[in-house]
Amino acid sequence: MNKYFSIFNQVLSPITPGPSSSNTSAPARISYICNQIIGGIPKQAVIEFSKDGAFPATYIGMKSDLAFINGLLGKLPTDSDFDKAYENAKKEGMQVKFEIVNDFKAESMEAARITLITKNDEKFIILGDSTGGGTFRIHEINGCNVDITGDSYTLLLFCDKDGIDEINIKSIIGRFNNINSYNINISDDICIIEIKSASPFKKKDLDDLSNEKTIKKISVLDLLHPVAFNKNNKPPFYSMEGMIKYCKENNKSPSEAAYDYEVAISGWNRNEVYEYARNLVSIIEKSVVEGLEGNFTIQGIVKPHAKNIDNFFDTSRFIDMGFLNKAITIATGVMEYSNAGGTIVCLPTGGSSGIIPGILFGAKDPLNLTDQDLVDGLMVAGILGVLMSEDNNFNGGEYGCQAEVGCSSSMAAGALAYLLGGDIQQVFDAASMALQCHMGLLCDPVGGYVQVPCIARNMSGTSIAAVSANAVMAGFDVVVPFNEVVEAMVDLGKRLPPHMKGCQGSGICISKTAKNLVK
Ligand code: SF4
C-alpha cells in the first residue's frame, strides 16, 4: 500500500514541549501507546537503549527519560506536568529504570526495548523506534511483529495462537468501516490481529468482539497524529515535477497547490486545512514572543540570549543585515524557548524549529505580510517538506544535521521565495540552493543537548534561507534541481558513519571545551 505523507503529520508537527521531536516527542508517543497496549500504568518498566544507538548520549539532555515516563503514565507530551515525570511515577507506584545494553540490535539509531510488568503481573516486551520528526514505529510486541505508527485508529486483538483457526477474521473485519489494512501476526507464543482504520472504532463493535472466546485481550490505540491515514485518499501530485505540472496546468500558486494536496490527503475541507495551519501559526507566534522575552531558565549548557541579541541591534556597533537582524533573533529565541521546555511546532524537527519562525515572522513587517500570508507561507514550507520526506525522516540521528537544519532551511527558503512573489520554479530553486549549502552537515550536539551547535545552526540556517531566496529571485542559477539535491542528501545521510549522527564521536561535541562542559 502506497502511503502518502501528510503536511501536518510528517512535516509541520508535532506540537510538543522541546527540545527534540525525535528524542522528546517520539519517545512520549511510543510509551503512550505502550500504556494503551497493556491497558494502563505498569508497575515496573525497564527502558533499554542499544549502546550503538544515539539514545545513550542524548536521552537525558533531550528529556527522552521524562518523555518515556510520561507516556507510560498515559500522558501526552503537551500535558502540563511533563517535568514532574519521576515524581508522578512515584505517586503512581511505577518503578522505572533506564539501561544501556548491547544485546539487542536496534533497527534505527533511536530505538528502545521496553519491558513492562502490569499490575496483574503480565509481562510485555515492546520494541519501538523513533523515526524522525516525532514519528515513530512500534514493530514488535512479545516477539510478534506489528506495525504501529499512530496515524491510523488501531485495534490489537491478542489471541490464542492455537485458536486462530476458530476465529472468523472476515466477520471481525466486516464489522468495521473504513479499514485501511489488517494483519495477522503470529509469534512462537501468541497471535496479534492488528486492524487499522481511518475512523474511530465503535464501542458496540468492540463490546461484541469481547464475546469471542479466542480473543484474550483487546487494545484500542489512539490516533496520535492530526490526520488519520486513509488508503483511499490520493494526492494530486507527489513529486517536484508533478507539483510544477499541477501548478501550471491548473493555474495554481504554490500555496494553493499545497492546500489542495492536504485537502486530498486528509479528507478535510479547505477551510479545515486552513484553520489547522492558522492554529499552527498562532502556536509559532506564541513561541516567538516567549522566546524574545526569555523569561525562563534552560537546563544544560546555554542561557537565554535572544533578548540581548535583539537589544544589540538597537546599538550602533553592528553591520545591518536587514530583516535578518530580527529573523536570526527570532530563530534563537524559539530554540531557547524549546530548550526551556516551551511548546513549539517542530518545523520539521525540534532541533530546527527556529528557522521557519525566523523567516516568517522576521519577514512579516518588511514585506507587510498578512496573517493569511503567514499561513500560506507555512503551507508552502510544508509541501516542500512532504516532497523531500519520502526516504528522509528529518532525523539527525539517521541522516545528520543536513536533514534537520538543512531541510528546514530549504523549506524556509522556498516559503520566502513564494512570499517574495516567486513562481513554483523559483520556490523549488530556492529550496535546492539552501539544501545544497547544508550538504554533509553532521549531527554533533554537545552533551546531548539541543543547544550547541544547534542554536547557532538555526541562525545560520535562517540566513542561508534568506540568501537563497534572494539569490534565486535575482536570477541565480542553482543548476541542480531540488529533487536531485534531496536524493543526494539522503544518499549521503545513509552513508554517514554513526559517529557523525549524534553518537558523540566527532564534530563540535568532541572538542576540548565540549568535553569539559559535560564533565
Ligand atoms: S546538531 Fe543538528 S541534527 Fe544534531 S541535535 Fe543539533 S540540530 Fe539536531
Side-chain angles (χ1 to χ4, degrees):
M1 180 173 34
N2 205 349
K3 196 166 183 177
Y4 300 107
F5 291 141
S6 146
I7 290 176
F8 296 147
N9 284 4
Q10 276 85 17
V11 184
L12 306 180
S13 68
I15 301 163
T16 182
S20 171
S21 44
S22 54
N23 289 262
T24 317
S25 184
R29 286 171 158 182
I30 290 169
S31 57
Y32 180 83
I33 292 291
C34 288
N35 170 291
Q36 296 198 314
I37 291 170
I38 70 169
I41 300 171
K43 68 177 186 187
Q44 274 175 33
V46 179
I47 297 146
E48 294 167 304
F49 305 132
S50 165
K51 79 169 181 29
D52 299 324
F55 270 136
T58 58
Y59 83 96
I60 302 280
M62 299 197 192
K63 302 190 179 181
S64 317
D65 55 341
L66 305 185
F68 275 115
I69 294 171
N70 272 314
L72 291 174
L73 293 171
K75 291 170 185 283
L76 285 167
T78 40
D79 283 346
S80 57
D81 53 356
F82 184 85
D83 281 332
K84 294 191 180 139
Y86 282 99
E87 204 178 311
N88 288 337
K90 208 167 175 188
K91 273 190 207 151
E92 292 290 345
M94 180 176 86
Q95 292 173 11
V96 61
K97 228 171 23 174
F98 291 89
E99 290 183 352
I100 315 295
V101 297
N102 57 11
D103 70 335
F104 85 98
K105 185 81 190 131
E107 279 197 3
S108 74
M109 294 297 286
E110 280 145 356
R113 178 170 63 191
I114 303 171
T115 303
L116 304 170
I117 308 292
T118 69
K119 290 183 176 149
N120 299 327
D121 287 323
E122 289 174 292
K123 182 175 180 180
F124 287 83
I125 301 177
I126 299 172
L127 302 188
D129 288 25
S130 166
T131 49
T135 60
F136 68 94
R137 179 167 173 262
I138 290 176
H139 56 90
E140 194 178 303
I141 303 172
N142 288 357
C144 207
N145 291 331
V146 289
D147 182 25
I148 300 165
T149 49
D151 59 356
S152 291
Y153 296 91
T154 303
L155 189 60
L156 300 180
L157 307 177
F158 291 76
C159 310
D160 267 346
K161 196 179 143 201
D162 298 333
I164 186 70
D165 292 344
E166 296 163 29
I167 294 184
N168 186 336
I169 303 285
K170 279 200 179 136
S171 89
I172 290 177
I173 302 303
R175 293 164 204 252
F176 303 112
N177 295 323
N178 255 339
I179 294 294
N180 282 325
S181 63
Y182 73 90
N183 280 304
I184 301 165
N185 308 299
I186 300 174
S187 73
D188 290 346
D189 305 316
I190 55 164
C191 166
I192 299 175
I193 302 173
E194 183 182 4
I195 303 168
K196 294 184 180 181
S197 170
S199 319
F201 297 101
K202 292 200 178 94
K203 183 171 179 314
K204 182 184 171 307
D205 294 330
L206 297 175
D207 289 346
D208 289 351
L209 275 183
S210 57
N211 295 326
E212 292 270 0
K213 284 197 183 65
T214 38
I215 298 177
K216 300 297 174 202
K217 178 179 176 59
I218 299 176
S219 301
V220 186
L221 312 183
D222 284 350
L223 178 73
L224 289 187
H225 289 275
V227 171
F229 170 67
N230 185 331
K231 69 172 183 197
N232 299 316
N233 293 348
K234 303 278 185 280
F237 52 84
Y238 205 57
S239 66
M240 180 190 81
E241 295 91 342
M243 184 172 171
I244 292 172
K245 188 162 173 266
Y246 182 81
C247 287
K248 287 188 175 157
E249 287 182 357
N250 297 285
N251 199 21
K252 298 262 184 175
S253 71
S255 69
E256 283 166 342
Y259 286 110
D260 289 353
Y261 178 94
E262 196 64 6
V263 165
I265 283 292
S266 63
W268 300 357
N269 64 38
R270 156 79 195 234
N271 193 46
E272 288 169 325
V273 169
Y274 177 81
E275 284 303 318
Y276 190 84
R278 195 172 66 87
N279 183 48
L280 293 180
V281 170
S282 314
I283 297 166
I284 294 167
E285 185 167 20
K286 181 165 188 293
S287 68
V288 168
V289 171
E290 298 283 346
L292 291 178
E293 281 297 321
N295 292 327
F296 43 74
T297 51
I298 300 174
Q299 192 191 343
I301 300 165
V302 302
K303 294 191 172 54
H305 276 304
K307 197 170 189 170
N308 294 345
I309 297 173
D310 210 14
N311 291 338
F312 174 75
F313 289 127
D314 286 332
T315 68
S316 56
R317 286 184 294 124
F318 67 96
I319 292 180
D320 190 11
M321 300 183 293
F323 100 107
L324 276 176
N325 297 344
K326 195 56 148 190
I328 63 153
T329 311
I330 289 171
T332 305
V334 172
M335 282 295 289
E336 289 174 349
Y337 182 59
S338 166
N339 270 284
T343 298
I344 53 156
V345 183
C346 297
L347 300 163
T349 70
S352 60
S353 55
I355 296 170
I356 291 172
I359 289 294
L360 293 181
F361 283 91
K364 187 176 179 198
D365 289 342
L367 295 183
N368 283 325
L369 300 178
T370 63
D371 289 347
Q372 173 159 355
D373 290 333
L374 295 177
V375 179
D376 292 352
L378 184 67
M379 289 299 289
V380 172
I383 194 66
L384 289 167
V386 163
L387 299 181
M388 64 173 83
S389 64
E390 187 159 15
D391 296 315
N392 160 35
N393 54 15
F394 305 118
N395 187 347
E398 290 291 324
Y399 295 97
C401 197
Q402 56 171 1
E404 292 203 14
V405 164
C407 287
S408 188
S409 178
S410 172
M411 290 159 60
L416 183 56
Y418 166 70
L419 292 170
L420 288 167
D423 61 19
I424 184 65
Q425 189 61 56
Q426 288 167 315
V427 165
F428 277 117
D429 284 352
S432 166
M433 179 170 162
L435 194 53
Q436 289 181 30
C437 295
H438 288 92
M439 192 64 57
L441 190 62
L442 80 169
C443 172
D444 51 353
V446 173
Y449 294 99
V450 192
Q451 298 173 6
V452 181
C454 319
I455 298 174
R457 284 186 189 159
N458 274 254
M459 285 195 248
S460 65
T462 303
S463 311
I464 287 172
V467 169
S468 302
N470 270 339
V472 164
M473 294 305 287
F476 179 74
D477 183 0
V478 300
V479 180
V480 182
F482 167 82
N483 57 337
E484 292 182 30
V485 179
V486 172
E487 269 174 40
M489 187 274 294
V490 171
D491 170 68
L492 174 58
K494 284 181 180 157
R495 290 191 282 132
L496 285 177
H499 64 81
M500 294 179 77
K501 299 196 269 197
C503 289
Q504 308 289 288
S506 55
I508 305 297
C509 60
I510 61 156
S511 64
K512 194 169 147 198
T513 300
K515 285 180 175 167
N516 283 338
L517 275 170
V518 295
K519 252 182 203 164

